Amino acid sequence: MQYTQEDLFAQDDAERNKLSESRRLAIRSRLMATLAMLEATATFPWDDPLDAVHEENRFQRETEMLGEEGEALWALFDKQMDRLYATQNVSDARAAE
């Protein structure tokens, strides 16, 4: 008789990455609040550029957790960030003059 041992360190990615509906709702609400904040502001809302990078990284991680729904939210976020970075570049150029 041959015995086999399960891999103790194996991970089922599908099960591990499965989100409960309450967790999905919490992530979605946080992302929507961030989008609403970005849409409401006319200028770059962060004083420190690293804060923007951290926010972008957080947003991207959370959209990846939502799958296809997250892809649409990421596209909206990306559009708003492009708009805000453009205002930052304009104000930087004015300050240099």
Side-chain angles (χ1 to χ4, degrees):
M1 184 184 309
Q2 182 177 356
Y3 295 98
T4 61
Q5 181 176 353
E6 298 274 336
D7 184 351
L8 297 176
F9 301 103
Q11 295 180 358
D12 180 5
D13 286 342
E15 187 62 32
R16 186 175 49 115
N17 293 329
K18 191 175 182 180
L19 291 177
S20 67
E21 191 55 39
S22 63
R23 179 81 171 122
R24 183 176 287 280
L25 180 61
I27 291 170
R28 185 183 307 119
S29 296
R30 205 169 32 248
L31 295 175
M32 295 302 287
T34 300
L35 282 171
M37 184 264 302
L38 293 178
E39 291 169 353
T41 188
T43 59
F44 204 71
W46 299 282
D47 294 329
D48 185 349
L50 279 178
D51 290 339
V53 171
H54 292 303
E55 185 63 30
E56 196 166 346
N57 288 340
R58 180 195 63 82
F59 200 95
Q60 185 177 21
R61 274 192 315 275
E62 290 186 347
T63 56
E64 288 172 354
M65 294 171 75
L66 295 180
E68 287 182 24
E69 177 186 5
E71 290 175 13
L73 294 172
W74 176 253
L76 293 172
F77 179 84
D78 198 35
K79 180 180 176 184
Q80 290 301 319
M81 289 300 285
D82 285 346
R83 177 182 64 82
L84 293 171
Y85 274 119
T87 66
Q88 183 70 13
N89 292 337
V90 168
S91 56
D92 287 347
R94 286 183 187 154
E97 292 175 354

